[in-house]
Amino acid sequence: MEVLFKNINPVLKSGMSDFLKLHNITEAEGGLEISVLISNDCNIRITKDNNNVIFEVDKEYQIFRCITLLKGRAEEDSFVIEEKRWFDTCGAMFDGSQASSLMTVASVKRMLLYMAGMGFNMAMLYCEDCYELEGEPYWGNMRPRYTISDFKEVDDYAYSLGIELIPCIQTLGHLTEAIKKQVYRDISDTRAVLEVGNPKVNELIEKIISQMSKTFRTRRIHVGLDEAWDLGFGNYILHNGYHSQTEIMREHVGVVYNLCEKYGMEPMMWSDMFFRGKTNGGYYVEDIDFTEEDVRGVPEKMSLVYWDYYNKENVVNYMIKHHQKLTDKVIFAGCARNVRS
C-alpha cells in the first residue's frame, strides 16, 4: 500500500514514518492521497473515493488509528468508515519494576507504535526505583533502570506519535528494593514504606518530582501512594506514636501534592489507601462512608486512579460511585491479562 499525505503536522512526520514502516506502507507519489481535516466531532470519519482519502478527526493523534482502519479496506474503491472516540485519555501502563522486567527503549518505542495504531494517546512506564536520580547513585542501583536521557528519548518518540508519556512513580510504598539499601535505612517506616514526616523523605520526593518535571513534556505525573499496607507501624510509630493510617495518608498526600504544585505538575494517585484506612485494609468494599474531612483530604487538583484487575461490572459500578464521593477527577485502570476458566 502506498500513501501520500497532502497535509500532516510536522511534529508527527517522524513518528508517521516509523509507523508506516511497521505496517509495510510507503509514502510515494501516486499513492492514496490523504487529506486531514480537524473537526469538532468525536467520531473518526474516513472517506475514500478512488484515490482520494479524507481523514476527519478531532485530535491529530487519531490519524494513526485512521491508517490502521484504512489499511484493512484499501483495495475498495469507495467507502465511509466511522468510529467513535469514547475517552479523552486512553492509554496503557507498563510495569518495569516489580519483576525486574524493564522494557528496553527499543521495546518501548515499538509498543508506542502499536498503541498509536489502536488510537491510544497516553502511556506510562511504571517505575518504583528503576530510573536514574541525580545526586542519588544508589537509587535503582543493581536494578535495570532508565537514564534521564532514556526517558527524554522515549518522551520525544511518544510525542511524535501524539502520545503523552506520563511519569509513573512511587512516593510512599512499593519501595522495598530501594530502601533496603543501607543509605536509605534512616528514611524507612517499614521494609517497603517511607517514613511520613521525615524531612529526608520530603527532600527525596522533592528531588524526584523536580527531576520528572524537567525530563518530561507533560505536566501530569502519577505519584503512586498505593498498598502501603503497614503504614505507620514501624519507625513512624516509634517517632510519632500511634496515628491512624487515614490521618497519616492525609498528611503525606498534602506534602506530595504541594511539591507537585511547586514544580507545576498535576498529580494523580492510586486511590486504595483512602479506602484501606477506613475498612481494616479492604478496597473493593460495597458499603463505605466518607466524611467531609475525608473529602477535604483529597486535594482539589489530585486525580484518583481506581485500579481493578479482578472484578466484574457490578463491583466496578459501585466502586466508581464511591470514588465520585471523594472527587470528580476519577481515572479507571483496568488490566490486560490471560484468564483461565
Side-chain angles (χ1 to χ4, degrees):
M1 176 172 151
E2 294 183 341
V3 299
L4 180 65
F5 280 96
K6 298 178 71 174
N7 62 322
I8 184 173
N9 187 329
V11 169
L12 304 179
K13 285 287 287 184
S14 61
M16 181 59 72
S17 178
D18 282 359
F19 185 79
L20 296 179
K21 288 177 185 176
L22 177 69
H23 290 276
N24 296 315
I25 300 171
T26 57
E27 286 189 90
E29 294 288 342
L32 295 175
E33 294 189 1
I34 299 175
S35 298
V36 179
L37 300 180
I38 306 299
S39 72
N40 294 322
D41 192 340
C42 286
N43 289 334
I44 290 174
R45 180 191 295 268
I46 304 169
T47 304
K48 184 175 186 294
D49 183 10
N50 294 315
N51 204 52
N52 297 309
V53 179
I54 298 174
F55 290 167
E56 293 180 69
V57 298
D58 70 328
K59 303 292 182 183
E60 288 183 310
Y61 74 86
Q62 294 169 314
I63 65 174
F64 296 97
R65 177 62 181 163
C66 289
I67 289 289
T68 305
L69 296 172
L70 173 64
K71 182 181 177 182
R73 296 179 60 178
E75 300 302 318
E76 299 178 32
D77 289 334
S78 60
F79 57 77
V80 176
I81 300 174
E82 289 191 346
E83 184 175 88
K84 186 174 179 62
R85 177 176 64 83
W86 293 98
F87 303 102
D88 292 331
T89 300
C90 185
M93 182 193 79
F94 301 95
D95 187 342
S97 293
Q98 297 194 65
S100 295
S101 55
L102 201 68
M103 294 171 67
T104 65
V105 169
S107 295
V108 173
K109 288 181 175 181
R110 190 168 183 85
M111 186 60 70
L112 289 169
L113 289 172
Y114 293 141
M115 292 171 62
M118 297 167 66
F120 286 13
N121 65 344
M122 181 274 288
M124 295 183 187
L125 298 176
Y126 173 76
C127 296
E128 293 169 353
D129 64 323
C130 290
Y131 55 90
E132 176 187 9
L133 183 59
E134 290 182 331
E136 299 290 337
Y138 290 99
W139 191 256
N141 184 44
M142 304 299 290
R143 296 250 279 163
R145 60 180 175 180
Y146 294 114
T147 65
I148 294 172
S149 61
D150 287 338
F151 274 150
K152 288 184 176 181
E153 181 179 348
V154 174
D155 186 50
D156 286 343
Y157 199 77
Y159 186 64
S160 75
L161 295 167
I163 294 174
E164 176 188 17
L165 188 65
I166 299 175
C168 185
I169 57 173
Q170 286 290 353
T171 54
L172 181 60
H174 276 290
L175 290 172
T176 306
E177 293 300 317
I179 62 180
K180 72 181 182 183
K181 300 179 178 70
Q182 186 64 42
V183 69
Y184 295 119
R185 291 283 174 82
D186 63 346
I187 66 171
S188 66
D189 179 5
T190 62
R191 63 186 296 271
V193 180
L194 298 173
E195 183 184 2
V196 172
N198 186 323
K200 290 183 179 179
V201 168
N202 297 345
E203 290 172 11
L204 177 67
I205 293 173
E206 179 166 10
K207 190 176 293 186
I208 293 169
I209 293 173
S210 172
Q211 180 171 294
M212 294 300 169
S213 73
K214 294 181 291 187
T215 303
F216 293 86
R217 283 180 176 81
T218 182
R219 293 297 85 199
R220 294 201 285 179
I221 184 172
H222 197 317
V223 293
L225 298 170
D226 62 309
E227 294 186 325
W229 308 109
D230 45 5
L231 173 66
F233 291 105
N235 287 321
Y236 181 92
I237 200 169
L238 295 176
H239 297 153
N240 302 281
Y242 173 77
H243 294 265
S244 72
Q245 289 191 332
T246 297
E247 183 182 354
I248 299 170
M249 276 299 299
R250 189 177 297 127
E251 175 189 348
H252 192 62
V253 168
V255 169
V256 174
Y257 179 79
N258 288 337
L259 288 172
C260 289
E261 287 259 286
K262 178 178 178 178
Y263 291 97
M265 302 296 282
E266 185 176 325
M268 63 186 78
M269 62 174 285
W270 305 116
S271 64
D272 59 285
M273 289 302 294
F274 285 110
F275 290 73
R276 297 187 196 282
K278 298 182 71 67
T279 60
N280 294 320
Y283 187 22
Y284 309 104
V285 180
E286 187 166 4
D287 296 314
I288 187 170
D289 292 318
F290 292 112
T291 65
E292 290 185 10
E293 189 175 18
D294 293 329
V295 174
R296 288 195 299 270
V298 181
E300 182 182 359
K301 297 179 183 177
M302 175 75 83
S303 296
L304 295 188
V305 185
Y306 157 42
W307 58 270
D308 195 334
Y309 312 146
Y310 320 102
N311 292 299
K312 296 184 180 179
E313 183 178 1
N314 64 315
V315 176
V316 172
N317 283 340
Y318 71 65
M319 284 297 292
I320 289 175
K321 290 177 182 177
H322 287 335
H323 281 75
Q324 289 172 333
K325 296 174 186 175
L326 291 169
T327 179
D328 60 353
K329 295 179 174 60
V330 180
I331 299 170
F332 176 73
C335 180
R337 65 190 302 176
N338 292 322
V339 179
R340 295 180 180 178
S341 59

